[in-house]
C-alpha cells in the first residue's frame, strides 16, 4: 500500500510540474497566501472557484496560525489545514505549507515568559509577532513539537509541493542573558584569548578592557562599534542556525520532489529598499532548496520596477543564479499602492524577467480586523471581483498560455555589486557623523538605481563569493570594513583586467572595524592610485569634470566628501569650491590590465551615470542596442528552450515607442512576428515579451 500511495504522490507532483531536485514548474507558479482561519464565514469553495478562474495554481497556508493549530500545549487541531489541503487538491491547486513559528501562542508565553526576547529596550511584551528569542530552549522545544506534529500529519498529502520554514526570520534584537552567554562562547572559539579580543576591538579605550572571561560584559550598552558589529554578526549566525535547524527537521519528513524555501525580506523604508541588515542571506540560503523573497514597492505614479529588479537580482544571486520564488508581493496592498490599470500585469511579468518562477500575492483576501486590516489582498473586504482581481485573471491566463517559455530564465551578467553585511553594520555605526541618518543602503541604492535605469543587468556578490573572474565590472559601495584578503582579491581582479568602481569609505577599516593605519584608502590605494587623509561635510560644493561638460546644477555634493590626492590616478572630477577646489573628487587609475575608479563623495544620479558609463566603456561593455533608458526597461535572458528572451517594460503613464534592435523574433503575448529595426509601441504601463527565433 505504501508503494502505491507513494506512486500516487509522485504522479500528483508530476501533474503540478515538479521535477525531482529541480523544483521548477511547467508554467510559472501563480499564487496567493490563504488563511481559512481568518475568514468571517465559510467560503472555501467560493474562493477555490475564484482562484481557478484567476489561474491561481498555488497557495501558501499555515505559517501564521500556531495558536489555531495548537490551541493548548500538545493539543492539536488540523481541521483548517485539512479542509484547505483537500479542497485545493481536488481543484488541482498546489499547496506550500509554512511552519507556524513566527508568532507564538498565548499559552506558551504564560508557561514560559522567557520565550519573549530581551532586547536593548527590555523584554518584549506579548501581542506583536516576531517578539520571541529564536534561541530560547522553551521556544525551540515548542517549535520542534509543532513542526513535527504538523509534518507527521500532512507530509503524505499529495497537494503539497513544498515547505516554507518560518517567515521573514531575523534575530529580532534578542540580547538576553542566554544570548550573551552564547556570545561569550562564540568569542572564545573565534579569538581564543582575551588578549587577541581586546586588541581586535580596541578595548583599552574608555576602560572597556576585559581581563577575565567572567567579567565579559553585555553588548547591550556598548559604545564600541567593533564589539557591536561582532555581536550583530553573531545574531545573523543565530538566524542561519535557526533556519537550518528547522529545515533539517522538515527534511526528515518531506518527499524528495518537495522543496524547502524561506521568504526573506529586505531592508524596509515603507517598502523593500536594500540589503537586509539582520540576515546573512547568502549563508542562510545554503540550507534551502529554493531561495524565496518578499518584495513590496511603491505603485501608481511611483512605480519604477526598481525594487522588483533589486529584490530579484539579490535573490537570484543567493544561490548562484538559480531561479527563485516571490513568496509575497502586493496585489492592492496599502491605499497608496492600489494599482493603476495594467500595473498588476506589469509587476507580475517584471518578476519573471528577473528570473522568478513564482509570483505569489500576500494575500488572497483582505483581513477584517487586527494589525493589517488595510493591507488589502487580491480581493477586497467584500470578497467580490474588483479591477485588480479581474486583471489578475489575465495574468493567470497568459502564464498558462506562454508560461513554459518564461520559466527558468537564465542570465549571464557581466556586472556585479559587491555587498557586505559586515561593512553594512560597520558603516551604519558611524554613517557620516553624529546624528547622520544615512545608511549603507543609501550608498548602494543610487548606484544600483543608475545601472537599472541604464538597462545594465547585474548580479550581487558578497565576500564569500569565491570566483569573481566572470565579471567585467564590479561596483563596491561603502566597503567600510573588510579583511585584507578581500581587498587584495579586488586588487588582483583589477590587475587581471577587471574594472572596479569604489565609493567613499571603502577599505577604511579591517574586518573588526578597526581603522587601518595606512594612508587611506589603504590597501586598495595600490589599485586606485589615490590617497587622502582628510574628509569633510560639504557645504555649497559641486563638481567640475576635467572636460568641462558638467554643470553645477547637476553635480551637487551632499553628506560627505573625501579630499583626494592622486598618486598615479587620472582625475575625472574636482570639487568646485574656493577652498577644496585643489582636491580630486573622482579618480580613475589604470592598474595592470584593468581600472579602479574611486568616487570620494555623494553626489547626483547624473554624475553616477557618467562615471558608470565611462567604466562600462573601458570594459568594452556592449551598450544597450536600442539606446533605451528609463522609463523603458529592457531585461533579458535565455529560456529553458535555449532561446533568447527580451522583456521591454514601459514604467510610465505615457505611451512609449522604441526600435527593436535584436534578432527577429515573436511577440509571445501578441503572437506576432517582430523584425529587427521594427518600431514597437507600448501603452502606458505596458510591456512586450519577444522570443528570438
Amino acid at each position: 500500500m505504501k508503494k502505491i500511495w507513494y506512486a500516487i504522490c509522485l504522479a500528483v507532483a508530476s501533474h503540478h510540474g515538479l521535477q525531482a531536485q529541480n523544483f521548477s514548474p511547467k508554467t510559472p507558479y501563480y499564487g496567493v497566501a490563504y488563511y481559512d482561519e481568518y475568514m468571517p464565514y465559510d467560503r472555501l469553495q467560493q474562493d477555490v472557484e475564484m482562484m481557478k478562474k484567476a489561474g491561481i495554481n498555488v497557495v501558501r497556508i499555515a505559517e501564521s496560525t500556531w495558536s489555531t493549530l495548537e490551541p493548548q500545549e500538545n493539543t492539536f487541531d488540523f481541521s483548517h489545514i485539512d479542509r484547505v489541503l483537500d479542497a485545493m487538491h481536488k481543484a488541482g491547486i498546489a499547496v506550500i505549507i509554512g511552519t507556524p513559528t513566527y508568532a507564538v501562542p498565548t499559552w506558551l508565553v504564560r508557561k514560559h515568559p522567557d520565550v519573549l526576547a530581551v532586547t536593548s529596550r527590555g523584554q518584549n511584551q506579548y501581542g506583536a509577532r516576531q517578539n520571541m528569542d529564536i534561541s530560547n530552549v522553551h521556544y525551540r522545544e515548542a517549535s520542534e513539537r509543532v513542526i513535527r506534529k504538523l509534518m507527521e500529519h500532512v507530509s503524505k498529502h499529495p497537494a503539497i509541493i513544498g515547505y516554507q520554514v518560518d517567515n521573514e526570520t531575523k534575530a529580532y534584537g534578542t540580547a538576553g542573558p542566554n544570548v550573551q552567554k552564547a556570545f561569550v562562547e562564540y568569542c572564545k572559539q573565534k579569538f581564543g584569548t582575551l588578549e587577541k579580543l581586546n586588541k581586535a576591538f580596541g578595548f583599552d579605550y574608555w576602560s572597556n578592557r576585559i581581563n577575565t572571561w567572567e567579567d565579559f560584559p553585555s553588548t547591550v550598552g556598548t559604545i564600541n562599534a567593533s564589539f557591536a558589529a561582532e555581536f550583530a554578526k553573531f545574531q545573523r549566525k543565530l538566524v542561519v542556525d535557526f533556519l537550518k535547524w528547522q529545515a533539517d527537521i522538515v527534511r526528515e519528513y518531506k518527499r524528495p520532489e518537495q522543496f524547502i524555501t524561506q521568504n526573506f525580506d529586505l531592508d524596509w523604508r515603507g517598502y523593500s529598499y536594500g540589503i537586509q541588515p539582520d540576515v546573512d542571506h547568502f549563508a542562510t540560503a545554503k540550507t534551502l532548496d529554493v531561495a524565496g523573497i518578499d518584495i513590496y514597492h511603491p505603485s501608481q505614479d511611483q512605480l519604477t520596477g526598481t525594487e522588483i529588479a533589486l529584490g530579484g537580482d539579490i535573490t537570484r544571486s543567493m544561490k548562484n543564479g538559480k531561479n527563485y520564488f516571490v513568496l509575497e508581493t502586493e496585489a492592492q496592498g496599502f491605499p497608496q499602492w492600489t494599482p493603476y490599470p495594467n500595473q498588476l500585469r506589469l509587476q507580475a511579468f517584471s518578476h519573471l524577467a528577473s528570473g522568478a518562477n513564482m509570483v505569489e500575492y500576500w494575500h488572497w483576501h483582505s483581513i477584517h480586523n487586527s494589525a493589517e486590516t488595510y493591507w488589502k489582498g487580491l480581493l477586497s473586504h467584500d470578497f467580490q471581483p474588483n479591477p485588480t482581481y479581474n486583471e489578475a485573471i489575465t495574468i493567470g491566463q497568459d502564464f498558462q498560455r506562454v508560461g513554459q517559455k518564461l520559466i527558468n530564465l537564465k542570465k549571464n551578467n557581466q556586472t556585479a555589486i559587491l555587498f557586505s553585511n559586515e561593512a553594512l553594520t560597520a558603516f551604519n555605526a558611524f554613517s557620516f557623523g553624529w546624528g547622520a541618518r544615512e545608511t549603507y543602503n543609501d550608498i548602494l541604492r543610487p548606484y544600483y538605481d543608475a545601472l537599472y535605469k541604464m538597462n545594465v543587468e547585474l548580479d550581487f556578490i558578497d565576500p564569500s563569493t569565491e570566483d569573481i573572474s566572470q565579471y567585467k565590472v564590479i561596483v563596491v559601495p561603502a566597503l567600510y570594513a573588510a579583511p585584507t584578503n578581500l581587498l587584495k582579491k579586488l586588487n588582483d581582479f583589477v590587475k587581471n583586467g577587471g574594472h572596479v568602481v569604489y565609493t567613499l569609505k571603502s577599505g577604511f577599516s579591517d574586518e573588526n572595524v578597526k581603522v587601518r593605519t595606512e594612508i587611506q584608502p589603504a590597501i586598495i590605494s595600490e589599485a586606485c592610485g589615490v590617497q587622502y587623509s582628510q574628509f569633510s561635510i560639504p557645504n555649497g560644493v559641486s563638481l567640475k569634470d576635467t572636460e568641462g561638460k558638467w554643470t553645477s546644477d547637476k553635480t551637487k555634493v551632499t553628506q560627505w566628501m573625501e579630499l583626494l590626492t592622486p598618486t598615479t590616478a587620472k582625475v575625472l572630477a574636482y570639487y568646485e569650491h574656493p577652498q577644496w577646489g585643489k582636491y580630486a573628487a573622482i579618480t580613475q587609475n589604470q592598474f595592470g590590465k584593468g581600472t579602479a575608479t574611486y568616487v570620494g563623495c555623494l553626489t547626483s544620479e547624473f554624475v553616477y551615470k557618467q562615471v558608470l558609463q565611462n567604466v562600462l566603456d573601458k570594459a568594452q561593455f556592449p551598450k544597450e542596442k536600442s539606446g533605451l533608458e528609463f522609463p523603458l526597461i529592457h531585461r533579458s535572458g535565455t529560456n529553458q528552450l535555449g532561446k533568447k528572451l527580451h522583456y521591454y517594460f514601459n514604467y510610465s503613464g505615457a505611451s512609449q515607442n522604441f526600435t527593436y534592435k535584436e534578432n527577429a523574433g515573436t511577440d509571445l503575448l501578441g503572437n506576432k512576428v517582430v523584425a529587427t529595426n521594427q518600431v514597437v509601441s507600448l501603452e502606458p504601463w505596458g510591456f512586450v515579451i519577444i522570443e528570438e527565433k
Side-chain angles (χ1 to χ4, degrees), residues 332-637:
Q332 297 183 83
F334 294 140
Q336 67 269 27
W337 290 352
T338 304
Y340 290 161
N342 292 332
Q343 286 190 341
L344 197 74
R345 286 179 55 79
L346 178 64
Q347 292 162 194
F349 285 91
S350 294
H351 289 295
L352 298 191
S354 288
N357 275 353
M358 175 189 291
V359 178
E360 189 174 53
Y361 299 116
W362 196 89
H363 42 142
W364 170 249
H365 47 281
S366 297
I367 297 172
H368 292 76
N369 54 288
S370 199
E372 294 176 313
T373 298
Y374 290 100
W375 190 317
K376 291 175 67 177
L378 195 57
L379 299 185
S380 295
H381 293 99
D382 57 12
F383 299 132
Q384 300 302 307
N386 62 65
T388 302
Y389 168 78
N390 291 335
E391 193 167 310
I393 293 174
T394 70
I395 298 169
Q397 291 171 342
D398 286 339
F399 278 9
Q400 288 298 314
R401 183 164 58 91
V402 300
Q404 190 173 7
K405 296 184 177 183
L406 306 181
I407 60 165
N408 298 327
L409 189 71
K410 298 301 179 186
K411 297 180 182 288
N412 184 26
N413 294 327
Q414 296 179 313
T415 302
I417 287 180
L418 189 153
F419 77 97
S420 165
N421 286 106
E422 287 74 21
L424 181 155
T425 304
F427 177 87
N428 289 356
F430 298 103
S431 184
F432 296 127
W434 301 113
R437 296 182 178 181
E438 290 76 21
T439 69
Y440 176 89
N441 283 317
D442 292 313
I443 314 302
L444 183 149
R445 272 298 298 264
Y447 285 87
Y448 181 88
D449 292 5
L451 289 165
Y452 170 77
K453 291 179 179 180
M454 295 164 67
N455 282 303
V456 178
E457 294 200 62
L458 57 84
D459 298 333
F460 280 83
I461 57 178
D462 82 341
S464 71
T465 305
E466 294 183 4
D467 185 10
I468 60 176
S469 62
Q470 72 187 80
Y471 300 106
K472 288 185 176 181
V473 174
I474 297 177
V475 178
V476 184
L479 190 60
Y480 182 73
T484 296
N485 61 348
L486 174 60
L487 301 178
K488 288 184 175 180
K489 183 177 182 177
L490 288 167
N491 282 352
D492 289 341
F493 172 78
V494 176
K495 184 182 293 185
N496 293 329
H499 301 266
V500 172
V501 179
Y502 287 104
T503 79
L504 45 73
K505 287 207 167 190
S506 289
F508 207 83
S509 72
D510 67 12
E511 65 272 28
N512 295 314
V513 200
K514 193 171 189 176
V515 173
R516 296 182 183 276
T517 58
E518 303 98 319
I519 297 176
Q520 295 294 348
I523 293 168
I524 62 173
S525 63
E526 180 185 10
C528 293
V530 69
Q531 62 186 31
Y532 70 95
S533 63
Q534 290 187 306
F535 37 78
S536 184
I537 307 298
N539 183 14
V541 181
S542 58
L543 299 177
K544 54 181 179 181
D545 67 305
T546 51
E547 296 182 3
K549 296 180 179 180
W550 298 355
T551 56
S552 59
D553 60 317
K554 293 183 178 180
T555 63
K556 183 180 178 181
V557 178
T558 61
Q559 274 74 45
W560 191 258
M561 55 187 294
E562 293 166 353
L563 306 180
L564 307 178
T565 300
T567 53
T568 58
K570 172 186 176 183
V571 177
L572 299 184
Y574 289 97
Y575 294 112
E576 181 75 70
H577 187 271
Q579 305 303 322
W580 307 131
K582 68 177 181 179
Y583 291 106
I586 305 172
T587 62
Q588 187 173 80
N589 190 53
Q590 183 76 38
F591 181 66
K593 299 177 181 178
T595 61
T597 302
Y598 192 94
V599 183
C601 59
L602 279 188
T603 181
S604 66
E605 181 181 279
F606 168 80
V607 174
Y608 296 141
K609 284 183 176 180
Q610 297 295 314
V611 171
L612 289 167
Q613 190 60 63
N614 172 290
V615 174
L616 294 170
D617 290 344
K618 293 283 184 184
Q620 298 182 325
F621 200 90
K623 290 185 178 180
E624 170 62 49
K625 292 181 181 179
S626 303
L628 300 182
E629 59 182 25
F630 185 82
L632 287 172
I633 293 297
H634 174 206
R635 294 177 76 79
S636 64

Side-chain angles (χ1 to χ4, degrees), residues 30 49-56 364 389 392-393 395-397:
Y30 189 46
E49 290 170 9
M50 292 183 73
M51 288 179 190
K52 291 290 289 182
K53 185 176 180 180
I56 298 299
W364 170 249
Y389 168 78
I393 293 174
I395 298 169
Q397 291 171 342

